[in-house]
Amino acid sequence: MTATVVIGAQWGDEGKGKITDMLAAESDVVARYGGGDNAGHTVVVGGDTFKLHLVPSGILYPHVVCVLGGGMVVNPRRLLQEMDGLAARGVDVSAARLLLSAQAHLILPYHIALDGAAERSRGKSALGTTKRGIGPAYADKAARSGIRAGEMRDPSAFAERVRAAVITKNELLTRLYGQEPLPAEEIAREYQEYAVRLAPHLADTSSFLVEALHAGKRLLCEGAQGTLLDLDHGTYPYVTSSYPTVGGALVGLGLGPQHLTRIIGVTKAYQTRVGAGPFPTELLDADGDHLVEVGHEYGTTTGRRRRAGWLDAVALRYAVQVNGLSELALTKLDVLGGLDPLRIAVAYTCDGETLTRFPADAAMLARCQPVYEELSGWEEDISAARAFDDLPQAARAYVARIEELAGVPATLISVGPEREQTICR
């Protein structure tokens, strides 16, 4: 009866897809617990690249059952597109292998339209959302007006619900934002067809997961986004609309904490973020360009160039604190090759004071300047390293310093995108 949770320890994009894919080899069930297709998990297998947005990363292992949990918001159109793409590449996405929680809320075309309209209306104050309808769908959930996946069990009644909802939301789109109304009848017919296809995948996933754990199955809980984007604990308002922290995993899957045995925080060897918001260690120089180009720092979902900077140990300690992380998975260590010296932010200065704790106030964080500690870099290509001792001494020292600053061990170290390019300690 073991459950492992994979948590993003930064602003998302940490490489959770690769870590989840690797851990899935020793799991029976992989379950996504929050977010929607704003997530982008890239998995490279034998030179083939799979870009997943909704389907859990464990789908590439034939023995694994994958679950889309009740804490997610799911766009039926995009889910079916992803499923069809996987099936075309020989991946089994049948109802026996892919379960959709009846409690998950659905993203519909009006959520996407409202998301884009709201971002445009903010002008220079835009949050930098993916415009995938995530926020409006979670807002409807909180307002108790959302449509849940379970309603697709009756495709005809579901279509009527969708039609009525489109008509209601058209009032907002036309009167508040001056947009053209969406075609209610056409959308209702389209989504009725989606309901017919997805109905066999609907399940009481909370009961399924608990029963699997009691039967001795190994559960891997897959996160999306990262701790610093958490609705409550992130850099609000530059956050996502869900809870990509350990509490969100429990709520999103309907599990109790007694099931958790490992809480793995995934962190890059440096720092990135997408969209607006404070970023104390951001680099706008040649070193930042190196991190972006060598690290291929372009969003899996949006294609946007990510902002990049030195590792922020203040933020990392905060992620350890919020999630109770038991260990770290350190990704993209290879990207740092050729940079010397390396820097890690060990504290901030703000308004004349030195801070060693992560500020809860985004406005305060925006005023923070990093206090750096310098470490030696390395020139060697470390992508072939398969044991910790294979790394250059400077790379080992860098990892050891991260462990010391975070207060937890780095048990997994990624030195490249392929499955086998991982050091397990």
Side-chain angles (χ1 to χ4, degrees), residues 76 113 115 117-118 136 169 196 231 245 294 300 311 383:
D115 199 358
K169 296 298 184 180
V196 170
L231 183 58
T245 44
V294 177
T300 303
L311 182 67
S383 61

Side-chain angles (χ1 to χ4, degrees), residues 116-406:
E119 271 291 86
R120 288 189 293 273
S121 73
R122 294 184 185 108
K124 293 182 179 180
S125 300
L127 301 175
T129 79
T130 58
K131 300 183 181 68
R132 296 295 180 102
I134 308 297
Y138 276 117
D140 277 359
K141 176 179 178 177
R144 294 168 290 185
S145 60
I147 298 177
R148 301 212 290 187
E151 297 190 45
M152 292 191 293
R153 288 195 176 103
D154 184 339
S156 296
F158 172 70
E160 179 54 32
R161 274 275 279 144
V162 170
R163 188 189 70 83
V166 173
I167 291 171
T168 299
K169 296 298 184 180
N170 274 341
E171 291 293 308
L172 270 178
L173 283 169
T174 58
R175 296 192 179 193
L176 180 60
Y177 294 112
Q179 304 289 306
E180 290 296 315
L182 298 173
E185 298 294 343
E186 178 183 326
I187 290 171
R189 286 193 299 271
E190 177 187 354
Y191 279 75
Q192 182 173 356
E193 294 175 7
Y194 298 156
V196 170
R197 291 190 60 189
L198 289 173
H201 295 266
L202 294 171
D204 175 0
T205 56
S206 175
S207 296
F208 170 81
L209 294 174
V210 171
E211 288 168 7
L213 287 167
H214 286 160
K217 302 292 186 181
R218 298 160 298 179
L219 169 62
L220 180 61
C221 308
E222 179 181 10
Q225 290 81 51
T227 298
L228 303 181
L229 293 175
D230 186 271
L231 183 58
D232 283 340
H233 302 290
T235 51
Y236 190 90
Y238 304 101
V239 293
T240 192
S241 302
S242 60
Y243 303 98
T245 44
V246 69
L250 298 174
V251 172
L253 295 177
L255 298 176
Q258 73 274 17
H259 297 294
L260 301 187
T261 53
R262 296 175 73 186
I263 306 171
I264 302 173
V266 185
T267 177
K268 283 175 181 166
Y270 50 97
Q271 202 89 7
T272 64
R273 83 172 298 175
V274 172
F279 185 175
T281 65
E282 183 174 12
L283 293 173
L284 302 174
D285 57 12
D287 287 342
D289 290 340
H290 172 103
L291 296 175
V292 170
E293 298 307 323
V294 177
H296 306 291
E297 294 298 348
Y298 296 89
T300 303
T301 299
T302 63
R304 286 182 293 180
R305 176 184 168 118
R306 296 176 183 136
R307 302 157 63 191
W310 298 117
L311 182 67
D312 188 335
V314 183
L316 184 57
R317 283 195 299 269
Y318 178 71
V320 173
Q321 167 195 317
V322 169
N323 295 293
L325 299 180
S326 58
E327 55 200 274
L328 296 177
L330 184 65
T331 63
K332 294 197 172 184
L333 184 64
D334 54 302
V335 174
L336 296 180
L339 294 176
D340 190 21
L342 302 175
R343 294 181 174 88
I344 299 176
V346 296
Y348 305 139
T349 57
C350 182
D351 302 333
E353 297 184 12
T354 298
L355 305 178
T356 57
R357 293 183 179 179
F358 192 75
D361 185 335
M364 184 176 184
L365 183 65
R367 299 195 303 274
C368 287
Q369 297 297 315
V371 176
Y372 286 123
E373 181 177 298
E374 290 193 353
L375 294 92
S376 298
W378 60 90
E379 292 292 335
E380 298 94 325
D381 178 2
I382 64 171
S383 61
R386 296 296 179 269
F388 191 63
D389 288 343
D390 294 339
L391 295 173
Q393 191 279 329
R396 297 197 303 271
Y398 186 78
V399 173
R401 185 58 178 144
I402 292 172
E403 293 177 313
E404 185 178 8
L405 289 167

Side-chain angles (χ1 to χ4, degrees), residues 37 54 73-80 107 112 132 191:
D37 62 308
L54 286 165
V73 286
V74 176
N75 182 326
R77 177 190 292 164
R78 290 195 176 272
L79 175 57
L80 286 167
I107 296 175
I112 297 168
R132 296 295 180 102
Y191 279 75

Side-chain angles (χ1 to χ4, degrees), residues 27-48:
S27 303
D28 300 299
V29 181
V30 177
R32 270 278 306 272
Y33 55 81
D37 62 308
N38 55 337
H41 292 173
T42 301
V43 179
V44 181
V45 184
D48 289 334

